[in-house]
Amino acid sequence: MRIRKRAILTGVAAVLVALIAAASAFLYFSGLGAFLWFIVTLEDETPQPEFAQRLAESGLVVHTIGGSRPATLALPAGHDPHEPMPLLVALHGYSGYASMMDDLFGIPSHINSKGFALILPDGTPDDDGNRFWNATGFCCGRAENKPDDVAYLSALVEEAKTLGLIDHTYAMGYSNGGFMAYRLACENLPGLAAIASVAGSSFNDPVRCDSATPVSVLQIHGDEDDVIKSDGGSNPDLGPGSHPAASELAGRWARRAGCDMPPESLPSIGVSRFGSGTETTVSRYLNGCRDGVTVEFWNVSGAGHFIIAKADFMDRVLDWLFAQRKGA
């Protein structure tokens, strides 16, 4: 069984080591099953046409957008075209693909219950054949000519608005996709209200996003991530340079919105399927923030680059995102 992406392979190996070291026998064997499922998921890419058909067969209203670089747009079944709904852009990790965001997080299965539109695009292949988002010089993709993914994703959002009435736009990304979500915020994607980054980061130099309009940010990171390190750092497998610590990144966006410092500590929550139920600490910036902005950092104790999340993980994330109404 072959996996193209060295960085994800490293992260998955770290997950298995953590399960062996920290879990009970029952959890370990459950975790091994999830680990093997994760590897199989990563190996089989689903091309956009087949993925769109799969979603349509599940009862969603599906469009192919993006022209020569197609992406899938999924809308709720039976949605009133005159009723505004949120739009989520879901961004896969390095060497991933659009269907990965379904395989890993099950995002499309929430479309009807939450009433939102979903764009699932693909990055472009780098010189090694791994799909990537041109988010920062550090992460990811080694390619002589890198695409303008901000322009591409912005055009997808505008095209989606011609097929459904959109009130606010949101972005969620995993790993390299998390970097790209931050890049969209840095570049002031029109209508962007909030982003969620899972195991992602952003430019190491905070000045790079100084012109950004404040948006709400949810940073989710495992404290044992050795691919995109929670404490910040470098990874030669991904690219040159480095990235900031997850807590520092949250603080930057809070300061950008004028939030009071330091953050408040909220009750711990359970995010990891193999956590204690309170393994995830929550730091929130809310007081003093302009324009209704909220910034939170969910620090998942014991989790690596891939967080084997609980069944209600996406409910938590989507509810958090769609509660943020700034940016229309």
Side-chain angles (χ1 to χ4, degrees), residues 279-312:
E279 82 291 329
T280 301
T281 59
V282 179
S283 302
R284 181 178 70 178
Y285 299 89
L286 177 63
N287 297 326
C289 302
R290 298 195 304 271
D291 302 324
V293 165
T294 302
V295 177
E296 282 190 22
F297 172 36
W298 295 0
N299 183 44
V300 189
S301 177
H305 191 57
F306 175 65
I307 299 170
I308 303 178
K310 295 176 66 175
D312 65 350

Coordinates of all heavy atoms in Angstrom, one line a residue, residues 279-312:
E279 N -10.1 16.5 27.1 CA -8.7 16.6 26.8 C -8.4 17.9 26.0 O -7.2 18.3 25.9 CB -8.3 15.4 26.0 CG -8.6 15.4 24.5 CD -10.0 15.3 24.1 OE1 -10.8 14.7 24.9 OE2 -10.5 15.9 23.1
T280 N -9.4 18.6 25.5 CA -9.2 19.7 24.7 C -9.5 21.0 25.4 O -10.6 21.3 25.9 CB -10.1 19.7 23.4 OG1 -9.8 18.5 22.7 CG2 -9.9 20.9 22.5
T281 N -8.4 21.8 25.6 CA -8.6 23.1 26.3 C -9.0 24.2 25.3 O -8.6 24.1 24.1 CB -7.3 23.5 27.0 OG1 -6.2 23.7 26.0 CG2 -6.9 22.5 28.1
V282 N -9.8 25.1 25.8 CA -10.4 26.1 24.9 C -10.0 27.5 25.4 O -10.3 27.8 26.6 CB -11.9 26.0 24.8 CG1 -12.5 27.1 23.9 CG2 -12.3 24.6 24.3
S283 N -9.3 28.2 24.6 CA -9.0 29.6 24.9 C -9.8 30.5 24.0 O -9.8 30.3 22.7 CB -7.5 29.9 24.7 OG -6.7 29.0 25.6
R284 N -10.5 31.5 24.5 CA -11.3 32.4 23.7 C -11.0 33.8 23.9 O -10.9 34.3 25.0 CB -12.8 32.1 24.0 CG -13.8 32.9 23.1 CD -15.2 32.6 23.4 NE -15.6 33.1 24.7 CZ -16.9 33.0 25.2 NH1 -17.8 32.4 24.5 NH2 -17.2 33.5 26.4
Y285 N -10.9 34.5 22.7 CA -10.9 36.0 22.7 C -12.3 36.5 22.2 O -12.7 36.2 21.1 CB -9.8 36.5 21.7 CG -8.4 36.1 22.1 CD1 -7.9 34.9 21.5 CD2 -7.6 36.9 22.8 CE1 -6.6 34.6 21.8 CE2 -6.3 36.6 23.1 CZ -5.8 35.4 22.6 OH -4.5 35.0 22.8
L286 N -13.0 37.2 23.1 CA -14.3 37.7 22.8 C -14.5 39.1 23.3 O -15.0 40.0 22.5 CB -15.4 36.8 23.4 CG -16.8 37.2 23.2 CD1 -17.2 37.2 21.7 CD2 -17.8 36.3 24.0
N287 N -14.0 39.4 24.5 CA -14.2 40.7 25.1 C -13.4 41.8 24.3 O -12.2 41.6 24.1 CB -13.9 40.7 26.6 CG -14.7 39.8 27.4 OD1 -15.9 39.6 27.1 ND2 -14.2 39.1 28.4
G288 N -14.1 42.9 24.0 CA -13.4 44.0 23.3 C -13.2 43.8 21.8 O -12.7 44.7 21.1
C289 N -13.5 42.6 21.3 CA -13.3 42.4 19.8 C -14.2 43.2 19.0 O -15.4 43.4 19.3 CB -13.5 40.9 19.5 SG -12.4 39.8 20.4
R290 N -13.7 43.8 17.9 CA -14.5 44.6 17.0 C -15.4 43.7 16.1 O -15.1 42.6 15.8 CB -13.6 45.5 16.1 CG -12.8 46.5 16.8 CD -12.2 47.5 15.8 NE -11.5 46.9 14.7 CZ -10.2 46.6 14.8 NH1 -9.5 46.9 15.9 NH2 -9.6 46.1 13.7
D291 N -16.6 44.3 15.7 CA -17.4 43.8 14.7 C -17.9 42.3 14.9 O -18.1 41.5 14.0 CB -16.7 43.8 13.3 CG -16.2 45.1 12.9 OD1 -17.0 46.1 13.2 OD2 -15.1 45.3 12.3
G292 N -18.0 42.0 16.2 CA -18.5 40.7 16.6 C -17.6 39.6 16.3 O -18.0 38.4 16.3
V293 N -16.3 39.9 16.2 CA -15.3 38.8 16.0 C -15.0 38.0 17.2 O -15.0 38.5 18.3 CB -13.9 39.5 15.5 CG1 -12.8 38.5 15.6 CG2 -14.1 40.0 14.1
T294 N -14.9 36.7 17.0 CA -14.5 35.8 18.1 C -13.3 35.0 17.6 O -13.2 34.6 16.4 CB -15.6 34.8 18.4 OG1 -16.8 35.5 18.8 CG2 -15.2 33.9 19.6
V295 N -12.3 34.8 18.5 CA -11.1 33.9 18.1 C -11.0 32.9 19.2 O -11.0 33.2 20.4 CB -9.8 34.8 18.0 CG1 -8.6 33.9 17.7 CG2 -10.0 35.8 16.9
E296 N -10.9 31.6 18.8 CA -10.7 30.5 19.7 C -9.6 29.6 19.3 O -9.4 29.4 18.1 CB -12.0 29.7 19.8 CG -13.1 30.3 20.7 CD -14.2 29.4 21.0 OE1 -14.1 28.2 21.0 OE2 -15.3 30.0 21.3
F297 N -9.0 29.0 20.3 CA -7.9 28.0 20.1 C -8.3 26.8 20.8 O -8.4 26.8 22.1 CB -6.6 28.6 20.5 CG -5.4 27.5 20.5 CD1 -5.4 26.5 19.5 CD2 -4.5 27.6 21.5 CE1 -4.4 25.6 19.5 CE2 -3.4 26.6 21.5 CZ -3.4 25.6 20.5
W298 N -8.5 25.7 20.1 CA -8.8 24.4 20.7 C -7.5 23.6 20.7 O -7.0 23.1 19.6 CB -9.9 23.6 20.0 CG -11.2 24.3 20.0 CD1 -11.6 25.5 20.6 CD2 -12.4 23.8 19.4 NE1 -12.9 25.7 20.4 CE2 -13.5 24.7 19.6 CE3 -12.7 22.7 18.6 CZ2 -14.7 24.6 19.1 CZ3 -14.0 22.5 18.1 CH2 -15.0 23.5 18.4
N299 N -6.9 23.4 21.8 CA -5.6 22.6 22.0 C -5.9 21.2 22.4 O -6.4 20.9 23.5 CB -4.8 23.3 23.0 CG -3.4 22.7 23.1 OD1 -2.8 22.3 22.1 ND2 -3.0 22.5 24.4
V300 N -5.7 20.3 21.4 CA -6.2 18.9 21.6 C -5.0 18.1 22.2 O -4.0 17.7 21.5 CB -6.6 18.2 20.3 CG1 -7.3 16.9 20.6 CG2 -7.6 19.1 19.6
S301 N -5.1 17.8 23.5 CA -4.0 17.1 24.2 C -3.8 15.7 23.7 O -4.8 14.9 23.6 CB -4.2 17.1 25.7 OG -3.2 16.4 26.4
G302 N -2.6 15.3 23.4 CA -2.3 14.0 22.9 C -2.5 13.7 21.5 O -2.2 12.6 21.0
A303 N -3.0 14.6 20.7 CA -3.3 14.4 19.3 C -2.2 14.8 18.4 O -1.5 15.8 18.7 CB -4.6 15.2 18.9
G304 N -2.0 14.1 17.3 CA -1.0 14.4 16.3 C -1.5 15.2 15.2 O -2.5 16.0 15.3
H305 N -0.9 15.0 14.0 CA -1.3 15.8 12.8 C -2.7 15.5 12.4 O -3.5 16.3 11.9 CB -0.3 15.7 11.7 CG -0.5 16.6 10.6 ND1 -0.5 18.0 10.8 CD2 -0.7 16.4 9.3 CE1 -0.7 18.6 9.6 NE2 -0.8 17.7 8.7
F306 N -3.1 14.2 12.5 CA -4.5 13.8 12.2 C -5.2 13.5 13.5 O -4.8 12.7 14.2 CB -4.5 12.6 11.3 CG -5.9 12.1 11.0 CD1 -6.8 12.8 10.3 CD2 -6.3 10.8 11.5 CE1 -8.1 12.3 10.1 CE2 -7.5 10.3 11.3 CZ -8.4 11.1 10.6
I307 N -6.3 14.3 13.7 CA -7.0 14.1 14.9 C -8.2 13.2 14.6 O -9.0 13.4 13.8 CB -7.6 15.5 15.4 CG1 -6.5 16.5 15.7 CG2 -8.5 15.3 16.6 CD1 -6.9 17.9 16.0
I308 N -8.2 12.0 15.3 CA -9.3 11.1 15.1 C -10.4 11.6 16.0 O -10.5 11.4 17.2 CB -8.8 9.6 15.6 CG1 -7.6 9.2 14.7 CG2 -10.0 8.7 15.3 CD1 -7.1 7.9 15.1
A309 N -11.3 12.3 15.3 CA -12.3 13.1 16.0 C -13.5 12.3 16.4 O -13.9 11.3 15.8 CB -12.7 14.3 15.1
K310 N -14.2 12.8 17.4 CA -15.5 12.2 17.8 C -16.6 12.5 16.8 O -16.4 13.4 15.9 CB -15.9 12.9 19.2 CG -14.9 12.5 20.3 CD -15.3 13.2 21.6 CE -16.7 12.8 22.2 NZ -17.0 13.4 23.5
A311 N -17.7 11.8 16.9 CA -18.7 11.8 15.9 C -19.3 13.2 15.8 O -19.8 13.6 14.8 CB -19.8 10.8 16.2
D312 N -19.3 14.0 16.9 CA -20.0 15.3 16.9 C -19.0 16.4 16.6 O -19.3 17.6 16.7 CB -20.6 15.6 18.3 CG -19.6 15.7 19.4 OD1 -18.4 15.3 19.2 OD2 -20.0 16.1 20.5

